[in-house]
Amino acid sequence: MDAQGRGRAENIDPADQWVLNPNTGEYELRLTPSAPQSAVPGPRRAAKAASRAAGAPSGAAGGSSRARTAAPGQGAPRRETPGGGGRGAGAPGRGAPGRGVGHEAADSGTDVPGPRRRRSAPAEPPPGRRGRRPVKKKSKAKKVLAWTGGTMAFVVLAVGTAGWLYLKHLEGNINSTDVGDAGSKGFSKDEAFNILLIGTDKRTGAGNEGYGDKGSVGHADTNILLHVAKDRTNATAMSIPRDLIVDVPDCPTKQDDGTEKVVPGTDGVRFNTSLGQDGRNAGCTMRTVEELTGIHVDHFMMADFNAVKTLTTAVGGVDVCLAHAVNDKKSKLDLSAGPHKLQGEEALAFVRTRHGFGNESDLDRIKVQQQFLSSLMRKMSSGDTLTNPKKLYKLAEAATKALTVDTGIDDVGTLKDVALELKKVPTKNITFLTVPVVDNPAEKVHATVVPGPTAPQVFDAIKNDVSFTDVKKKQQASKDAAAAADAAKLKGTQSEASEVRVRILNGGAAQGSAQKTLEWLQNEEGVTKSENAGNAGTSLSRTTLEYAPDQADQARKLAAIMGLPGSALKPGKSVTNTQGLPAMTLTLGKDFKGAGVSLTAPVKAPEVQGQSTADKVECAK
C-alpha cells in the first residue's frame, strides 16, 4: 500500500469517499486515483445508503419526532399548580434530561478507518470468447422519508471495517432510558407501532442558557404520538397539549443504582408533569398517554433544543412561509411576511415562538410546529438531501447526538429498521392533528384544557389502525373478504336475551370487569343465564365470544347487546356451565372498555378541526 493508502482515518472525510452511481442509484467508494488496485475482493456496496438513510422523525418539543424535531423549543411548562398560569404561559424551552448536548452538526470523519481497496479490473477476454455482458440496472432515486427530526438519518455504510466502526460510533452517540414494561421490548417490522416523541423544557447544552425555565427538571413540553399503520400506507402524528388535564398513573422507575422506585401518580394535573416531576422518566409519560388514550405506546424518542439547530443546519435550512411579519422579542424571531429558509437559532426561534401566531396560545404554537415538521419531512425526502453524502453524514451525527430513546430501540440497527418502515409512508398520507380539547370548565380564568367530546373517537381510530386520510389499502381485496365474513356472522336470527347462556371470563380487562359485566347483563339486559367464571388464565388483546354452531343465534344476540364486532365471534365449541348445560364463553380482553360500551371498531376516522397532511405547504398565520 502506498503512502496515500495509509492515511490516518482522522484525515479522511468519510463523505468524500462515496459517490452516487447514476446507473444503480447506490453509493460506491471512490478510490484515490493513484492508489494501486489490490487483488483481494473489494468491499460490498453500501447497503442502499439512500434507502437506509432514515429521516428525522417529527417530534417532540417544538418539532417533533424523536429528533423529528422533537427538540424544537416548545414553551416551557408552567409550574404545576392546578389552575395556575395561562395556557401556553412560560418561556419556551426544552432539552433531553441529562444530555448536556450542544453539538452543532459537523462532518463526521473521525475515527473511521480508510476503505479497503478493490480487486484489480479483470483482463479482457481472449479473442473468440465473449465475456458476459454486464446487466444494466435501472437508474432510480432512492426516495427515503427521513423525518422525525433526523432520528433516522443514518448513513448505513455496511462496508467492511470502516462501515462497521462508523455504525458503532453512531451507536455510541445515543443515550437510552430503561422504561421497564411501559413500552415494548423490541421492534416488529410486521405490526403497527406507536412512538411517543417528546421535547422537554430543561436547559441543557451550550448556548441554551437563555431558553426555558431555569429551574425546570425537564417537563414533557412538546408531545406527539406517532402511529404508523400496519400496512405502512399511512401514519398519524397526534399532538398532545402540555396543558391538558390528565391523571398521571403510578410509575415504576429505574434508579441509577439499578433499584426500582415507584413514583406515586397524581390526578387532575397538567400533562407536562408526567416527565421530570417527582423524578418521573419518559416511561411515566408513556404510561400517562396510555391512561389517557387507551393506546399502548411501544417506544419513545426524546431530544433537546440542539436537535432543531443542528438538524436544520445539516439539511441546509427548512423552508417556511409566514402570512404576516413577526417580531417576537421573547423568542427573538424577527421575520417578514413571505417565504424564508430557516436553520440553527432562527429555526429554533420559529418553533418556540408563542406570541407571533394565532391568539398566542400553546395550541396555535402546536399548529405552527406541525407546519414546520411537514416542511422538514419534505426537505429530508428531497433529492437534494438524499444524493448529498455530506448532508447525510451530518444528519446521522446530529440525530444520534440529539437523541434519547428507550432500551428497546437503542441501537443503530433497530433505529435503521424503524427508519426503513417510516420511509414507506407517503407524505400525503401522514396526518398531523391535535387531541380535540375544550377549555377546562373548572377554571374561571382559562389556563388549561380537557379532552373534548370527540377525543375518544380519535383515540379509537388510532388504536384500531384507521387512517385519517383516504388511502388505497394494501391487499384490500383480502381485507374486504375478511370484513364480509365477519359481517356475515352477525346476520341471521337472534334468540331472546333470556335464552342466552354464557360464561364470562376476564382475559386482560380491568380488575372486576367480569363481575360488573355479569351484573349489567342480568339486571339491565335480561341475560339471566349468565355467570362469572373468573380469570381466563391468559391475556387477550381483543375480546372474544366462542360458541358452538347451534348457539349462533345466542351469539348474535349477545353481540348485539354488547356491541361486539363480527371479528370477536369465534365459532367453535360450547362449554358446560355450573348447571351442566352448554354455554358460550365470553372472554374480556384488553380492549374491553366497560359494561355497555360498544367494542365495534370505527371504519372511518372522524374529521378533526385543523388536521393537515405532510405534503401540504401552509403559511403560518
Side-chain angles (χ1 to χ4, degrees):
M1 180 182 290
D2 62 15
Q4 287 175 298
R6 290 196 302 267
R8 289 176 55 81
E10 57 266 33
N11 295 327
I12 299 173
D13 185 342
D16 290 335
Q17 306 300 308
W18 296 88
V19 293
L20 181 69
N21 186 332
N23 294 322
T24 65
E26 298 176 352
Y27 284 96
E28 298 178 358
L29 280 174
R30 177 177 61 193
L31 299 177
T32 305
S34 63
Q37 300 298 304
S38 169
V40 299
R44 289 172 288 179
R45 288 177 181 168
K48 304 199 175 180
S51 107
R52 294 211 205 217
S58 115
S64 68
S65 158
R66 129 177 196 215
R68 182 177 179 151
T69 113
Q74 169 86 312
R78 288 177 290 291
R79 296 289 181 164
E80 186 45 51
T81 51
R87 185 191 317 162
R94 65 180 153 185
R99 289 202 46 77
V101 201
H103 308 284
E104 293 297 324
D107 289 346
S108 55
T110 60
D111 301 324
V112 182
R116 294 181 294 176
R117 304 182 183 286
R118 298 187 180 187
R119 70 173 73 185
S120 57
E124 285 292 322
R129 299 183 63 184
R130 303 175 70 82
R132 178 172 296 179
R133 182 173 299 173
V135 178
K136 268 193 169 182
K137 293 185 179 180
K138 287 185 178 180
S139 174
K140 54 183 177 180
K142 300 296 182 181
K143 302 268 183 178
V144 178
L145 179 61
W147 55 308
T148 342
T151 297
M152 308 312 167
F154 301 124
V155 186
V156 185
L157 304 178
V159 182
T161 304
W164 182 82
L165 287 177
Y166 188 66
L167 290 178
K168 300 307 290 183
H169 162 71
L170 289 178
E171 200 160 286
N173 290 343
I174 303 171
N175 282 350
S176 63
T177 299
D178 187 348
V179 297
D181 61 1
S184 299
K185 297 302 181 185
F187 175 73
S188 173
K189 300 179 183 179
D190 303 317
E191 298 294 334
F193 60 92
N194 302 303
I195 297 179
L196 181 62
L197 310 167
I198 307 173
T200 79
D201 67 334
K202 187 174 182 178
R203 288 183 175 187
T204 56
N208 295 323
E209 295 81 3
Y211 301 147
D213 180 356
K214 183 176 181 179
S216 176
V217 292
H219 295 104
D221 203 42
T222 296
N223 311 274
I224 295 180
L225 179 62
L226 173 65
H227 169 81
V228 180
K230 181 176 181 178
D231 64 5
R232 308 302 188 244
T233 60
N234 67 93
T236 302
M238 181 178 69
S239 295
I240 303 174
R242 67 182 188 183
D243 295 323
L244 181 68
I245 295 300
V246 297
D247 294 338
V248 178
D250 292 345
C251 178
T253 60
K254 291 290 181 67
Q255 305 299 299
D256 292 339
D257 60 2
T259 61
E260 185 176 274
K261 172 187 176 182
V262 177
V263 180
T266 51
D267 294 343
V269 294
R270 286 184 173 87
F271 182 90
N272 64 354
T273 61
S274 63
L275 177 69
Q277 198 85 358
D278 301 322
R280 296 185 178 117
N281 62 20
C284 303
T285 308
M286 296 168 70
R287 295 176 192 275
T288 303
V289 170
E290 185 163 3
E291 179 87 4
L292 169 69
T293 65
I295 301 168
H296 177 68
V297 181
D298 298 298
H299 305 287
F300 85 88
M301 294 179 180
M302 180 168 62
D304 60 15
F305 290 128
N306 293 289
V308 181
K309 295 190 287 187
T310 58
L311 291 168
T312 55
T313 300
V315 298
V318 175
D319 296 314
V320 300
C321 173
L322 279 70
H324 57 79
V326 172
N327 187 358
D328 181 2
K329 293 188 177 0
K330 290 190 175 181
S331 67
K332 300 179 182 178
L333 180 67
D334 186 2
L335 295 174
S336 60
H340 295 271
K341 187 183 292 292
L342 306 181
Q343 61 180 309
E345 293 287 349
E346 200 169 34
L348 180 57
F350 182 82
V351 296
R352 288 182 58 246
T353 184
R354 185 168 59 85
H355 302 287
F357 306 107
N359 62 8
E360 302 186 4
S361 72
D362 188 53
L363 296 177
D364 288 301
R365 173 163 51 188
I366 287 174
K367 182 63 179 175
V368 171
Q369 290 169 350
Q370 292 173 347
Q371 293 168 359
F372 182 87
L373 293 174
S374 296
S375 180
L376 177 60
M377 285 190 278
R378 293 192 296 271
K379 178 73 175 209
M380 292 298 303
S381 59
S382 69
D384 177 60
T385 298
L386 299 177
T387 59
N388 188 321
K390 286 194 174 183
K391 281 187 178 180
L392 292 176
Y393 270 95
K394 287 181 179 180
L395 282 169
E397 290 291 333
T400 51
K401 287 177 180 177
L403 179 66
T404 299
V405 301
D406 59 280
T407 51
I409 55 171
D410 65 351
D411 64 272
V412 172
T414 302
L415 288 173
K416 177 262 300 178
D417 288 340
V418 174
L420 293 178
E421 295 307 306
L422 287 174
K423 81 169 182 78
K424 296 177 182 178
V425 185
T427 54
K428 67 178 182 179
N429 292 332
I430 301 173
T431 302
F432 283 96
L433 55 84
T434 303
V435 173
V437 296
V438 296
D439 288 328
N440 187 351
E443 298 174 336
K444 291 183 178 179
V445 177
H446 298 306
T448 60
V449 293
V450 296
T454 60
Q457 299 173 41
V458 173
F459 302 155
D460 282 348
I462 294 175
K463 182 164 57 177
N464 290 284
D465 206 19
V466 178
S467 175
F468 283 80
T469 60
D470 293 327
V471 297
K472 184 177 182 181
K473 295 284 187 179
K474 298 177 180 178
Q475 303 174 336
Q476 191 63 50
S478 61
K479 287 188 176 183
D480 289 344
D486 288 337
K489 298 175 188 175
L490 301 174
K491 295 179 179 178
T493 59
Q494 298 180 9
S495 66
E496 294 296 325
S498 59
E499 297 303 317
V500 173
R501 289 194 296 272
V502 60
R503 298 170 68 248
I504 307 168
L505 292 89
N506 191 329
Q511 185 175 0
S513 292
Q515 182 60 32
K516 291 178 181 178
T517 301
L518 173 68
E519 294 171 356
W520 173 73
L521 288 174
Q522 290 185 341
N523 300 332
E524 298 186 35
E525 299 298 329
V527 184
T528 55
K529 298 177 181 177
S530 51
E531 61 183 42
N532 182 355
N535 290 324
T538 185
S539 180
L540 301 179
S541 59
R542 303 279 181 180
T543 296
T544 62
L545 175 61
E546 187 174 3
Y547 57 95
D550 61 352
Q551 295 172 318
D553 55 344
Q554 295 182 43
R556 287 190 285 267
K557 181 61 177 180
L558 188 61
I561 292 173
M562 296 189 63
L564 299 178
S567 58
L569 274 58
K570 306 295 181 184
K573 60 182 181 180
S574 63
V575 294
T576 301
N577 66 12
T578 53
Q579 286 78 41
L581 299 173
M584 301 182 295
T585 301
L586 173 67
T587 306
L588 306 178
K590 292 180 179 178
D591 64 333
F592 185 72
K593 305 170 187 176
V597 181
S598 175
L599 291 178
T600 302
V603 295
K604 182 175 175 59
E607 286 289 331
V608 179
Q609 184 178 4
Q611 74 179 56
S612 61
T613 52
D615 64 320
K616 296 292 191 297
V617 178
E618 300 182 65
C619 291
K621 300 178 181 179

